[in-house]
Amino acid sequence: MELTAIKGFKDILPDEVGHWQRLESIARSLLGSYGFQEIKTPVMEYMELFSRGIGQETDIVSKEMYTLHDSRGRGMTLRPEATASVVRAYVQHRLDQKGPIQKLFSIGPMFRHERPQKGRFRQFHQINAEMFGDAGPKSDADIIVMAVHLFEMIGISDLTLNLNSLGCPECRPRFREELSCYLKDLSGSLCPDCQRRAVTNPLRVFDCKVESCGNAVINAPSVVEFLCGACVDHFESLKEYLGDAGVEFTLNHRLVRGLDYYNRTTFEIQTNRLGAQNAVAGGGRYDGLVRLLSGPDQPAIGFAVGMERVIALLEEGGRSETKTPGLFIAGMGDEAERLCFKWAAELRRSGIWVEMDYAQRGLKSQMKKAGRIGARKVLIIGGDELARGKALLKDMDAKEQHEIEINNIIEILKKVLNKND
Ligand code: HAM
C-alpha cells in the first residue's frame, strides 16, 4: 500500500512555510503588545475535559473527537480546540493567583474528525488568545479590536466582523424555552439529531448543516429579544467601544457558535473568498467555563484564528518570498575542502547561510550548483589560491570577482556578507 499522509492531515512544504512563519511572527509581536504571554499545553488531554467544557451535544464532542483509551480504559483525546486546555492549565496551576488579569496565547495544531474540504482539515492550526479575570465590555472590545488589528497587520482587509450576544444564565433559559417550543411545532422537518437537540440543547439547531433544519430556523425567535437589562447594557457598551476604535461590525443574531461555553458576546471574522468555510476567526465570552472545570469563579473571553484559512487567503496573493544562501564555498582539493568545511561552520555560527558541495566535484559543477540555489556570493579556493594565501570572492549578481586574503578571511567575509543581508 502506498504510504501517504492521513486524509485531512496535510504537509506544510518548505516553499509554503514562509507565510506560516510571517503569520506566527506577526501574531507573537502583536499579542505581546496587548500583554499576552505564550502558553504551550499538551496536544492530548483527558476526554472529559472536552466533553464537559465544550458540551456533549456539540458536533465537536458528539462526532469529531479523536479519542483513544489508556490501559485503564480512560479516554484521551487529541485537542479539538485550545480553550478548554488553557482553562485546565489556568485552573491546575492556579494562574489566577499570579494577578487578577491573565492574558494567554498559544499557537499549534488542533484535531477534528470532520469531512475534509476546501478550508477544512482534520489537523489544522490555530492562534488562540484567552483573557481571564474581567467581566466588563471593555475587555470584549479589547479582544475584538486585537483580532481585527491582527488581520490588518497580516494585510487582509476584505473581512466582515459578525457580532452577537447570547445572553447570560439569567436570560438565556427563557430564550431556550421559547426556541424549544418553536422547534417542537416543526419537529417533522428536523433531522433526527435536531429533533433530539430541540429538547436537550435547542441553540445547536442553528449550527445544523441539514437544509431542512436551516429552513426551519429562518423564522425562529431571535436571542436579542430575550436579553436581560444587564446583557443589553453590556452589548450596547461593547458596540460603543468598537465604534470608538473605528471597528465596523455586522449584527448577526443567528451567530450561536459551535461550542456550548459561550455567554454574552460571540463574534466571528468571515471572508467571502473561501466558499463554505468562511470563518477565519471566532470567539466570545465564556464566564462560566473556569468554574465548570472546577476552578475559581473567573470570567473570561477569547478567540482563535484558523491559520490554514488565513494562509489560503495570503497565497491568493502569491507565494512568500524564498530566501537564498548568502555564500557558497567551492573548495577544490583535499586541503582546500577541509578549510572550506571549517570556514562554513564558523560563518554559520554567526548566522550567515552558507552552502557547499558534499560530493568533492570540480569547479564547473560546483558553480552550477551555486547558481541553481541562488547563492549571492561564491568563495572559490583551490591548490593555487591556497599556495598564494588568497581566495576568490565572486559576486553572482554583479558578475565581478576579487581576491581576498586567507589570513583573517572569516572577519572579511562576515563584513562583506552582513553588509549585503
Ligand atoms: P472555532 O470557531 O471552533 O472556535 O474555531 C476557530 C477557527 O478555527 C475557525 O474560525 C476556523 O478558522 C478554524 N477552524 C475550525 N475548524 C477547522 C477545520 N476543521 N479546519 C480548518 N480550520 C478550522 C474555537 O475553536 C474556540 N476555541 C475559539 C475561542 C477561543 N473561543 C474562546 N476562546
Side-chain angles (χ1 to χ4, degrees), residues 327 342-344 346-350 352 379 393 404-420:
L327 182 71
K342 190 173 100 147
W343 292 340
E346 275 180 57
L347 291 167
R348 286 163 171 170
R349 237 174 238 132
S350 35
I352 296 165
L379 185 76
L393 185 63
I404 56 175
E405 298 283 337
I406 289 183
N407 266 342
N408 214 18
I409 193 165
I410 297 297
E411 289 316 309
I412 299 171
L413 286 173
K414 272 195 218 166
K415 245 189 227 150
V416 176
L417 295 167
N418 282 330
K419 218 169 40 203
N420 287 287

Side-chain angles (χ1 to χ4, degrees), residues 331-342 360 381-383 386:
M332 271 79 55
D334 285 348
E335 201 184 339
E337 279 190 34
R338 287 183 58 186
L339 259 183
C340 291
F341 183 79
K342 190 173 100 147
Q360 302 198 313
I381 179 160
L386 206 57

Side-chain angles (χ1 to χ4, degrees), residues 8 54 60 64 80-84 110-131 257-259 261-262 267-269 274 277-286 289 300-310:
I54 300 171
I60 295 179
E64 297 169 0
E81 58 119 42
T83 310
M110 309 293 149
F111 306 85
R112 295 183 194 174
H113 191 268
E114 295 188 84
R115 198 167 49 78
Q117 55 174 240
K118 186 178 176 199
R120 190 161 75 189
F121 304 95
R122 291 179 170 170
Q123 176 181 306
F124 60 97
H125 297 74
Q126 287 184 341
I127 298 166
N128 186 83
E130 314 289 358
M131 169 173 172
R257 311 254 313 117
L259 308 101
Y261 47 61
Y262 294 115
F267 65 98
E268 221 163 71
I269 298 180
L274 288 179
Q277 304 310 315
N278 62 354
V280 288
R285 178 164 281 289
Y286 54 95
L289 184 60
I301 177 162
F303 70 90
V305 174
M307 295 179 76
E308 279 75 4
R309 294 185 191 174
V310 175

Side-chain angles (χ1 to χ4, degrees), residues 70-298:
D70 69 10
S71 54
R72 294 186 183 156
R74 191 165 179 192
M76 299 183 302
T77 300
L78 283 175
R79 61 180 181 196
E81 58 119 42
T83 310
S85 305
V86 175
V87 172
R88 198 257 320 126
Y90 173 84
V91 172
Q92 183 175 341
H93 304 288
R94 299 304 320 253
L95 298 183
D96 57 309
Q97 294 184 349
K98 294 209 178 273
I101 304 284
Q102 291 294 313
K103 301 181 192 180
L104 305 170
F105 80 92
S106 56
I107 300 179
M110 309 293 149
F111 306 85
R112 295 183 194 174
H113 191 268
E114 295 188 84
R115 198 167 49 78
Q117 55 174 240
K118 186 178 176 199
R120 190 161 75 189
F121 304 95
R122 291 179 170 170
Q123 176 181 306
F124 60 97
H125 297 74
Q126 287 184 341
I127 298 166
N128 186 83
E130 314 289 358
M131 169 173 172
F132 297 90
D134 186 74
K138 198 186 201 174
S139 45
D140 300 37
D142 211 25
I143 285 285
I144 294 174
V145 170
M146 180 170 84
V148 170
H149 197 166
L150 180 62
F151 285 98
E152 276 169 19
M153 293 199 55
I154 299 163
I156 301 175
S157 52
D158 52 346
L159 298 171
T160 314
L161 167 65
N162 279 252
L163 194 63
N164 193 20
S165 173
L166 293 180
C168 67
E170 289 292 308
C171 54
R172 186 138 26 120
R174 225 162 48 80
F175 171 59
R176 266 183 66 136
E177 216 169 284
E178 200 71 26
L179 184 61
S180 192
C181 280
Y182 168 88
L183 292 170
K184 207 188 282 167
D185 294 340
L186 294 169
S187 189
S189 44
L190 298 179
C191 72
D193 278 348
C194 283
Q195 289 181 7
R196 194 188 64 249
R197 290 173 185 140
V199 181
T200 56
N201 194 348
L203 264 78
R204 292 278 69 89
V205 178
F206 286 114
D207 296 332
C208 186
K209 316 277 182 316
V210 176
E211 201 180 341
S212 59
C213 300
N215 292 336
V217 293
I218 287 177
N219 295 314
S222 169
V223 61
V224 277
E225 295 158 25
F226 296 84
L227 296 182
C228 63
C231 284
V232 169
D233 290 348
H234 186 102
F235 200 41
E236 288 307 311
S237 182
L238 164 62
K239 289 189 268 180
E240 276 169 26
Y241 278 120
L242 291 179
D244 290 347
V247 168
E248 286 177 22
F249 54 85
T250 303
L251 294 177
N252 176 354
H253 298 307
R254 292 281 185 259
L255 184 71
V256 293
R257 311 254 313 117
L259 308 101
D260 275 352
Y261 47 61
Y262 294 115
N263 68 298
R264 290 196 167 158
T265 310
T266 54
F267 65 98
E268 221 163 71
I269 298 180
Q270 298 176 351
T271 170
N272 55 17
R273 284 195 275 149
L274 288 179
Q277 304 310 315
N278 62 354
V280 288
R285 178 164 281 289
Y286 54 95
D287 293 337
L289 184 60
V290 181
R291 187 77 180 280
L292 182 75
L293 297 177
S294 313
D297 196 4
Q298 287 287 356

